[in-house]
């Protein structure tokens, strides 16, 4: 009774090993790149119009051409297209074709550094010919499916399980390859930014901005996705950061005169914020572990509270935002990782009602009016008042 699952497990194992061992040979000419560029444009536009003649076009094209000049030399018809819809996304096809969607434009605004972080990633995808690799892998996968079908037609019963295993494992392996390509595009894009004069910290600034606007996918969902989680991308990019920073500092000794200007202030949560009840002091004591780069000034830590996914009304007006909801703000020093110690916040128990003592909270870090980091949700328990 266990023969069929066992056969399937063997087929899955063999298929996974086969896919992992494949070495795709890229063509030495660029006909496929150009064909994929032409065939992919309609899907990338999705029926939307092209944005032209705007300030965003000018900034985007300026940054785009500086990146191309600093990195890739393929004879592509390099082009940046701004797409008139509300998608918060950027993408690329083979052959040097990049697309930035309208929903990205308010986020990027006039920041050449954020534009560079967005475009360098997509330039790296097309320059490293990732889309060609995807296409060749899909062609090879179809060839394998045809091969198994031929074996089945010839009477090979084991080929049924091999085909089933391949159909299950091949898409998962393809997604894994695409996630690895995302990491490669992050790494190569960061180096490209550095050479073109855009500080690599803009990559992290962009990641944090997009995470706050698009959310974070679960680890389970990421396994079946072609993109890693933002947290994973931060961790992987940090490993490449030292090389990119060294290249930037070698070429651009005065950041103020570089094309991207001064580096952005970026903040990183190094651990999940935590809270404990302090019954003697009648406070909820919150510990936040965070470090910052590119600032000598204090940042603002802002706590927001939820109960049943709804904001919590503040019992004390001094702890209320403009809507009367509970909020806690405090200036804090935030220095480099090697120098930093946790931020301790003491929240009085009288700011919440008796039936709202167990809440969820999210911590934000802001540099002036700009929010630069957001934590995961964590529990905060306020002690009961003695009187």
């Amino acid at each position: 009774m266990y023969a069929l699952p066992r056969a399937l497990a063997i087929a899955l194992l063999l298929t996974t090993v086969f896919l992992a061992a494949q070495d795709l040979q890229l063509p030495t000419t660029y006909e496929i790149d150009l064909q994929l560029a032409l065939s992919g444009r309609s899907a990338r536009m999705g029926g939307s119009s092209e944005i032209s003649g705007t300030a965003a076009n000018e900034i985007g094209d300026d940054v785009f051409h500086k990146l191309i000049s600093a990195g890739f030399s393929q004879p592509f018809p390099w082009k940046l297209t701004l797409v008139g819809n509300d998608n918060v996304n950027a993408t690329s096809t083979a052959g040097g074709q990049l697309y930035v969607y309208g929903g990205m434009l308010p986020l990027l605004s006039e920041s050449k550094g954020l534009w560079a972080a967005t475009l360098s990633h997509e330039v790296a995808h097309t320059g490293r010919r990732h889309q060609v690799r995807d296409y060749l892998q899909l062609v090879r996968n179809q060839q394998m499916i045809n091969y198994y079908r031929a074996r089945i037609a010839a009477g090979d019963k084991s080929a049924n399980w091999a085909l089933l295993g391949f159909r299950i494992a091949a898409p998962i392996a393809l997604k894994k390859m695409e996630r690895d390509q995302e990491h490669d595009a992050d790494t190569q894009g960061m180096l490209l930014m550095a050479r073109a004069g855009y500080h690599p910290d803009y990559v992290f600034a962009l990641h944090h901005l997009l995470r706050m606007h698009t959310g974070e996918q679960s680890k389970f969902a990421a396994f079946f996705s072609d993109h890693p989680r933002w947290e994973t991308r931060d961790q992987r990019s940090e490993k490449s950061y030292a090389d990119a920073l060294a290249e930037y500092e070698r070429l651009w000794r005065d950041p103020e005169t570089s094309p991207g200007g001064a580096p952005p202030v970026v903040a990183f949560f190094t651990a999940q914020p935590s809270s404990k009840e302090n019954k003697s002091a009648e406070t909820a004591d919150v510990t936040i572990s965070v470090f910052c780069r590119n600032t000598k000034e204090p940042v603002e830590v802002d706590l927001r509270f939820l109960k049943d996914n709804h904001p919590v009304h503040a019992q004390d007006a001094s702890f209320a935002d403009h809507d009367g909801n509970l909020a806690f703000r405090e200036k804090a020093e935030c220095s480099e990782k090697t120098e930093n110690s946790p931020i301790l916040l003491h929240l009085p128990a009288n700011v919440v009602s008796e039936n709202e003592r167990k809440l969820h909270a999210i911590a934000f870090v802001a540099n002036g009016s700009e929010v630069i980091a957001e934590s995961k949700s964590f529990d905060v328990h306020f002690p009961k008042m003695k009187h």
Side-chain angles (χ1 to χ4, degrees):
M1 71 184 282
Y2 295 102
L4 297 187
R6 186 175 179 183
L8 178 56
I10 292 173
L12 282 168
L13 176 61
L14 292 176
T15 301
T16 303
V17 171
F18 167 77
L19 291 169
Q22 291 188 91
D23 182 20
L24 291 171
Q25 296 297 317
L26 293 175
T28 56
T29 58
Y30 301 107
E31 285 83 0
I32 291 180
D33 303 69
L34 300 179
Q35 290 171 9
L36 291 174
L38 288 174
S39 63
R41 181 171 178 83
S42 177
R44 295 303 186 275
M45 295 299 296
S48 300
S49 60
E50 180 176 344
I51 298 172
S52 61
T54 69
N57 292 97
E58 292 184 16
I59 296 173
D61 284 339
D62 177 62
V63 174
F64 181 51
H65 290 299
K66 283 185 171 63
L67 292 169
I68 299 303
S69 298
F72 295 96
S73 59
Q74 292 101 330
F76 294 155
W78 293 94
K79 177 177 172 59
L80 169 63
T81 298
L82 305 189
V83 184
N85 62 38
D86 293 333
N87 291 342
V88 182
N89 195 17
T91 188
S92 55
T93 65
Q97 302 299 294
L98 273 66
Y99 301 84
V100 174
Y101 295 92
M104 287 287 292
L105 303 186
L107 303 183
L108 303 180
S109 187
E110 298 180 0
S111 171
K112 292 184 177 181
L114 291 178
W115 274 96
T118 302
L119 298 179
S120 64
H121 177 88
E122 299 303 333
V123 167
H125 269 313
T126 189
R128 301 278 284 181
R129 305 180 78 186
H130 289 160
Q131 300 91 346
V132 177
R133 292 179 183 274
D134 290 347
Y135 171 77
L136 294 177
Q137 185 64 63
L138 289 170
V139 169
R140 185 171 291 184
N141 287 354
Q142 187 58 51
Q143 291 172 343
M144 289 301 300
I145 289 172
N146 294 340
Y147 165 72
Y148 287 127
R149 285 174 173 169
R151 282 176 51 186
I152 293 169
D156 184 351
K157 295 182 179 179
S158 67
N160 286 291
W161 292 109
L163 177 58
L164 179 58
F166 189 87
R167 284 188 177 280
I168 294 173
I172 295 175
L174 179 62
K175 295 300 183 185
K176 172 63 167 61
M177 184 180 84
E178 290 172 337
R179 291 196 300 274
D180 289 343
Q181 289 177 167
E182 289 299 318
H183 172 51
D184 183 59
D186 281 342
T187 299
Q188 298 301 321
M190 191 181 293
L191 282 170
L192 181 61
M193 283 177 64
R195 294 181 186 125
Y198 303 95
H199 198 283
D201 267 323
Y202 275 107
V203 169
F204 299 100
L206 178 67
H207 287 182
H208 297 177
L209 186 62
L210 289 174
R211 179 186 172 189
M212 286 186 282
H213 280 82
T214 64
E216 180 70 282
Q217 61 182 332
S218 69
K219 291 182 180 180
F220 179 78
F223 182 75
F224 299 96
S225 172
D226 57 3
H227 278 65
R229 304 171 74 236
W230 293 116
E231 183 178 5
T232 302
R233 292 177 73 166
D234 260 10
Q235 292 167 351
R236 287 184 172 181
S237 297
E238 188 70 30
K239 296 177 183 178
S240 308
Y241 175 76
D243 291 339
L245 182 61
E247 183 75 350
Y248 178 86
E249 292 178 339
R250 181 180 71 83
L251 295 171
W252 307 94
R253 298 192 176 185
D254 182 5
E256 296 289 347
T257 63
S258 70
V265 178
V266 287
F268 303 83
F269 290 95
T270 58
Q272 175 78 338
S274 61
S275 172
K276 65 178 182 178
E277 293 184 58
N278 187 335
K279 295 181 179 179
S280 61
E282 297 185 345
T283 59
D285 294 344
V286 175
T287 300
I288 298 175
S289 298
V290 63
F291 76 93
C292 300
R293 289 200 289 252
N294 310 319
T295 183
K296 295 180 181 179
E297 301 297 324
V299 296
E300 182 177 89
V301 176
D302 188 353
L303 298 184
R304 299 288 168 151
F305 301 87
L306 298 171
K307 185 177 178 64
D308 300 326
N309 292 321
H310 296 289
V312 177
H313 181 73
Q315 299 298 306
D316 184 334
S318 61
F319 291 90
D321 62 14
H322 62 275
D323 293 321
N325 296 319
L326 181 62
F328 188 87
R329 303 178 188 86
E330 186 167 304
K331 292 283 187 180
E333 297 293 331
C334 186
S335 54
E336 292 285 347
K337 184 186 298 187
T338 55
E339 305 169 358
N340 222 19
S341 57
I343 298 169
L344 302 178
L345 305 176
H346 306 285
L347 286 60
N350 62 1
V351 299
V352 295
S353 64
E354 287 295 329
N355 62 345
E356 293 178 330
R357 300 211 169 272
K358 294 183 179 181
L359 305 177
H360 296 294
I362 300 174
F364 298 89
V365 178
N367 177 44
S369 61
E370 180 184 6
V371 178
I372 57 175
E374 175 185 350
S375 78
K376 299 176 184 177
S377 175
F378 62 101
D379 295 331
V380 176
H381 294 177
F382 290 85
K384 291 183 178 180
M385 300 289 291
K386 296 177 182 178
H387 304 288

